[in-house]
């Protein structure tokens, strides 16, 4: 379980009468940090590929900076960066394959993007739809070094 995140507030001074007098102010919670953006350029959702290896390509960005990028349970070593492009070779199994990309920003906010594809070797009929693909480990399982929990099918 993650520890609770501290809540930050912005203080806006409305009026100062004198240096030693009453100061009127208002407290408002700071806006919640935005989650990172993840875009996958290749492969496309439900794409059918004949090769048993592909290169996943895409980009991730976040105004506060990215600290982690994980593709199918394998992380990248990152310097704090607001934008990054990625490429990672993935070995496919015949049938449905799930590719899970997770980007984590400096505030600890995460975005997951899953792409389901079908690997059908040349001359072979499709074995299983991409929706039945084996699910890769979740980012929290990789970071905490715990075994992946099975994901429930929708």
């Amino acid at each position: 379980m993650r520890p609770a995140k501290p809540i930050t507030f912005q203080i806006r001074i409305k009026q100062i009468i004198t240096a030693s007098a009453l100061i009127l102010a208002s407290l408002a919670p700071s806006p919640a940090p935005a989650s990172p953006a993840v875009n996958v350029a290749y492969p496309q959702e439900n794409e059918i590929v004949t090769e048993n290896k592909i290169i996943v390509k895409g980009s991730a960005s976040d105004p506060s900076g990215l600290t982690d990028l994980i593709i199918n349970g394998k992380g990248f070593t990152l310097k704090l960066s607001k934008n990054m492009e990625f490429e990672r070779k993935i070995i496919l199994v015949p049938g449905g394959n799930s590719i899970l990309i997770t980007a984590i920003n400096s505030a600890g906010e995460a975005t997951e993007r899953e792409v389901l594809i079908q690997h059908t070797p040349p001359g072979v009929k499709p074995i299983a739809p991409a929706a039945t693909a084996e699910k890769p480990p979740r980012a929290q399982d990789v970071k905490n070094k715990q075994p992946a929990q099975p994901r429930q099918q929708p």
Side-chain angles (χ1 to χ4, degrees), residues 13 16 21 96 115-116 122-123:
I13 306 296
I16 298 176
V115 178
L116 300 174

Side-chain angles (χ1 to χ4, degrees), residues 51-137:
E51 304 84 17
N52 67 344
K53 296 177 190 171
I54 62 167
I55 297 181
V56 177
K57 297 179 183 180
S59 62
S61 63
D62 187 90
S64 68
L66 296 167
T67 58
D68 292 287
L69 183 71
I70 302 165
I71 300 177
N72 279 9
K74 295 182 181 176
F76 283 81
T77 302
L78 298 180
K79 293 180 182 176
L80 189 60
S81 171
K82 292 184 180 188
N83 299 298
M84 80 165 294
E85 292 185 359
F86 58 83
E87 291 187 1
R88 172 69 49 111
K89 186 188 323 183
I90 302 287
I91 298 174
L92 305 173
V93 297
N97 287 262
S98 175
I99 301 167
L100 183 65
I101 299 116
T102 305
I104 303 171
N105 67 15
S106 60
E109 298 291 325
T111 298
E112 290 184 339
R113 173 79 163 88
E114 183 175 35
V115 178
L116 300 174
I117 63 170
Q118 177 79 25
H119 168 47
T120 303
V124 176
K125 290 183 180 180
I127 294 175
T132 63
E134 176 79 16
K135 303 295 183 189

